[in-house]
Amino acid sequence: ALENCECDAGSTGPIDGSCHMCVAGKYKVDAGAAECTQCLEGKYSPHAGEASEVCQDCSGGTYSSVENSQCLSCPANSISDPASNEVLDCKCSPGYTGVVDGGNCQACVAGTYKTEIGSTDCSMCPGGKFSAVLASVSNNCTACASGSYSAEDHTDCTKCPADSISYAESDAVGDCKCRPGFDGDDGGNCQACVAGKFKVEAGSAACTQCTSGKYSDETAATRAGVCTSCASGTYSSADNAQCSACPAHSMSDAASDEVQDCKCKAGYTVSDENTNACEVCEAGTYKDATGSAKCQLCPVGSSSPSGSQALENCECNAGFTGQNGGCTACASGTWKNVTGDLSCTACATAHTSPPASISPSNCQIQCGAGSTGFDGGTCTLCAAGKYKSQP
């Protein structure tokens, strides 16, 4: 009877003999009216009428379709395990990230990387490192060289501002320090130390002023040794950039640091009108040492030229004799008409002169013994009963 006709393996249908083949993705091992069996999730069968369990695992990077008749490729840049059965089994590949599994996967941008499968975010390169590689699958970030720092997006390294330096692997502009010889804020503008200052170490510290009495005309100096002592006769300026000459006719010790260190030389004294000026000692005075002392008068009977620097400059005047600086008046009966240490000259015989005479014309006839009268005048004989034994 017709009812005795059964659908063969690989086909299914009612007992009335109307059979059709199992569709792709299904199979039927035994004859009869039983339904075809669906391939398990993650497996597929591409052919209709399969009479045995020929379902195969979907390969990695694919997943089985709803009807299990084929395996569909995962979205671009994602992968799946073998025998995956839905698009959610597709995970973003290393170097790529996405919002959800089975969705769109985008490459990790430069400065980031991702080592694992999945939808997790890409990891930023560590501070002080960078990477220009797209879709990086490993931490191949490169350290920034000294003198640079990693940009905010870590895609490259940015050079430190002019005249500043940084250590390798620096990750912010604030790591850039003004180099020796320059000062300024970290990561900011660095300016050269001006003349008269120096800076030994890198950093934001201010340049150091040369000590008092020293100067430096070098800019951007990096050592204290550039500061040189001012020579004698000079003093350091307020900014220590140079040494200024002492006022005229004054002197200072080496390493002097203010104009008050300049003292008037011998032969000069402090001006009454300007305490920082020196004026020459007047004729007839002297000053034998450097300093602010007043000029001294020459001893009586002596004089000196202006600017005299020693007592010995006081020469005996005409009418005086002796060593310069210690003069006595020419005695009566002598004279001296020049300055200096020459001896006084005696008047002619029978002539005399007053003390301190300065010319032979001062010598007058002297009344002899037995005569009397004013020298240089009329002499008369001593009267009877009187005598005079000396001229």
Side-chain angles (χ1 to χ4, degrees), residues 1-55:
L2 179 60
E3 291 79 7
N4 293 330
C5 295
E6 295 180 322
C7 290
D8 294 332
S11 297
T12 186
I15 297 177
D16 61 9
S18 178
C19 299
H20 56 271
M21 289 189 296
C22 294
V23 297
K26 293 184 178 183
Y27 66 93
K28 183 163 165 278
V29 176
D30 299 319
E35 295 290 333
C36 297
T37 302
Q38 184 87 35
C39 287
L40 297 176
E41 292 181 347
K43 295 178 180 285
Y44 77 103
S45 173
H47 304 295
E50 292 291 353
S52 62
E53 186 178 353
V54 294
C55 299

Side-chain angles (χ1 to χ4, degrees), residues 316-372:
C316 294
N317 295 332
F320 289 80
T321 188
Q323 294 295 320
N324 290 336
C327 303
T328 56
C330 290
S332 296
T334 64
W335 56 271
K336 179 169 166 273
N337 63 354
V338 295
T339 60
D341 58 357
L342 296 176
S343 299
C344 299
T345 302
C347 290
T349 303
H351 287 69
T352 190
S353 65
S357 291
I358 61 173
S359 170
S361 63
N362 296 131
C363 296
Q364 302 293 322
I365 296 173
Q366 183 181 33
C367 292
S371 298
T372 186

Side-chain angles (χ1 to χ4, degrees), residues 23-372:
V23 297
K26 293 184 178 183
Y27 66 93
K28 183 163 165 278
V29 176
D30 299 319
E35 295 290 333
C36 297
T37 302
Q38 184 87 35
C39 287
L40 297 176
E41 292 181 347
K43 295 178 180 285
Y44 77 103
S45 173
H47 304 295
E50 292 291 353
S52 62
E53 186 178 353
V54 294
C55 299
Q56 303 174 30
D57 288 340
C58 288
S59 61
T62 66
Y63 61 95
S64 60
S65 61
V66 175
E67 72 278 2
N68 299 88
S69 62
Q70 61 180 335
C71 293
L72 302 177
S73 296
C74 284
N77 305 312
S78 64
I79 56 176
S80 64
D81 293 331
S84 292
N85 68 330
E86 59 179 345
V87 70
L88 294 178
D89 292 330
C90 297
K91 314 289 185 183
C92 289
S93 301
Y96 293 83
T97 185
V99 178
V100 294
D101 293 338
N104 183 37
C105 295
Q106 296 179 337
C108 292
V109 297
T112 65
Y113 65 95
K114 182 164 161 277
T115 61
E116 299 176 349
I117 297 171
S119 58
T120 56
D121 292 335
C122 301
S123 298
M124 185 76 74
C125 284
K129 295 187 176 184
F130 78 101
S131 172
V133 178
L134 294 174
S136 179
V137 298
S138 63
N139 182 358
N140 58 0
C141 302
T142 303
C144 290
S146 58
S148 66
Y149 61 95
S150 59
E152 185 174 351
D153 59 6
H154 296 266
T155 58
D156 60 10
C157 295
T158 302
K159 188 176 180 180
C160 283
D163 301 312
S164 64
I165 56 176
S166 67
Y167 291 113
E169 296 191 35
S170 292
D171 65 351
V173 68
D175 293 329
C176 298
K177 314 290 184 182
C178 291
R179 62 187 177 90
F182 292 79
D183 66 2
D185 295 332
D186 292 342
N189 182 38
C190 297
Q191 297 180 335
C193 295
V194 297
K197 293 185 178 184
F198 64 93
K199 182 160 164 273
V200 177
E201 299 179 348
S204 58
C207 299
T208 302
Q209 187 93 27
C210 288
T211 55
S212 297
K214 294 189 175 186
Y215 80 102
S216 168
D217 56 7
E218 183 177 326
T219 59
T222 60
R223 57 190 180 88
V226 300
C227 299
T228 305
S229 293
C230 290
S232 57
T234 66
Y235 61 95
S236 61
S237 58
D239 59 6
N240 298 88
Q242 61 182 348
C243 294
S244 300
C246 282
H249 312 302
S250 65
M251 179 59 66
S252 66
D253 293 331
S256 292
D257 64 347
E258 58 181 352
V259 68
Q260 285 76 18
D261 293 328
C262 298
K263 308 298 182 183
C264 293
K265 296 178 181 178
Y268 293 83
T269 189
V270 177
S271 169
D272 291 333
E273 298 179 356
N274 182 357
T275 57
N276 288 331
C278 299
E279 58 185 20
V280 66
C281 290
E282 296 178 350
T285 66
Y286 70 94
K287 180 166 162 276
D288 59 6
T290 298
S292 57
K294 295 296 183 180
C295 302
Q296 302 294 311
L297 289 171
C298 284
V300 174
S302 65
S303 62
S304 65
S306 62
S308 291
Q309 301 178 9
L311 175 62
E312 289 74 17
N313 296 136
C314 295
E315 295 183 317
C316 294
N317 295 332
F320 289 80
T321 188
Q323 294 295 320
N324 290 336
C327 303
T328 56
C330 290
S332 296
T334 64
W335 56 271
K336 179 169 166 273
N337 63 354
V338 295
T339 60
D341 58 357
L342 296 176
S343 299
C344 299
T345 302
C347 290
T349 303
H351 287 69
T352 190
S353 65
S357 291
I358 61 173
S359 170
S361 63
N362 296 131
C363 296
Q364 302 293 322
I365 296 173
Q366 183 181 33
C367 292
S371 298
T372 186

